[in-house]
Amino acid sequence: MTDTALLAPFDDEVVRGVAGTNSVDEEQLRSALADHQRTMRESPGVEDLVYEWRKRFDDAVLHRTPETFFMAVRESVWEEYGTHLGLDDYLLAAVVAVHQEHVLRETAVDSSAIGENAVALVVSRPSSQ
């Protein structure tokens, strides 16, 4: 079972569509999305991660709200998460696709701001921050 608060930034329709398009189990995708959000919150924490990525990558923060950061990071960030979470290539591709779709759907984000060497990433902020 997944924590619904961790999945708050993700639209059910997008998750369902990406699962179908990528031929992965929808519940497995939801679980991977929640595990990824939990990992970012716990190690080293959302604010620390965002700070680190802002130092490492140009224009990493595309937009932020009190609840969510919309980011553009290098593919290597996703590779590290995939390895850490034990995701196979298909499930990792689906997780990345959900993040990409949500960043592209965010009206405050200029989609051209995601450079050719960058991949979208949505970081949910804990409600206590």
Side-chain angles (χ1 to χ4, degrees):
M1 185 178 284
T2 58
D3 182 346
T4 55
L6 294 170
L7 297 175
F10 305 112
D11 181 85
D12 285 338
E13 184 179 309
V14 171
V15 175
R16 195 172 303 114
V18 167
T21 300
N22 287 272
S23 300
V24 298
D25 178 74
E26 184 179 338
E27 282 308 308
Q28 189 178 17
L29 177 56
R30 289 179 191 284
S31 179
L33 288 163
D35 289 347
H36 176 245
Q37 292 296 315
R38 185 178 301 105
T39 298
M40 288 189 294
R41 286 183 183 188
E42 293 174 355
S43 177
V46 169
E47 300 299 329
D48 290 339
L49 277 174
V50 170
Y51 176 76
E52 177 184 329
W53 290 332
R54 289 178 78 177
K55 286 181 15 183
R56 286 176 51 195
F57 310 123
D58 292 333
D59 302 321
V61 177
L62 303 172
H63 179 63
R64 72 185 276 180
T65 68
E67 301 83 24
T68 309
F69 285 101
F70 297 88
M71 311 283 299
V73 297
R74 298 291 176 260
E75 191 173 336
S76 61
V77 170
W78 275 114
E79 291 167 358
E80 290 172 17
Y81 276 119
T83 299
H84 177 76
L85 295 170
L87 305 178
D88 66 32
D89 291 343
Y90 297 103
L91 187 53
L92 178 59
V95 168
V96 173
V98 169
H99 282 257
Q100 186 82 9
E101 183 63 26
H102 278 89
V103 170
L104 293 175
R105 285 179 175 223
E106 175 56 48
T107 57
V109 173
D110 176 7
S111 61
S112 67
I114 303 173
E116 69 180 58
N117 295 323
V119 182
L121 185 120
V122 175
V123 184
S124 174
R125 300 171 82 187
S127 58
S128 63
Q129 291 187 1

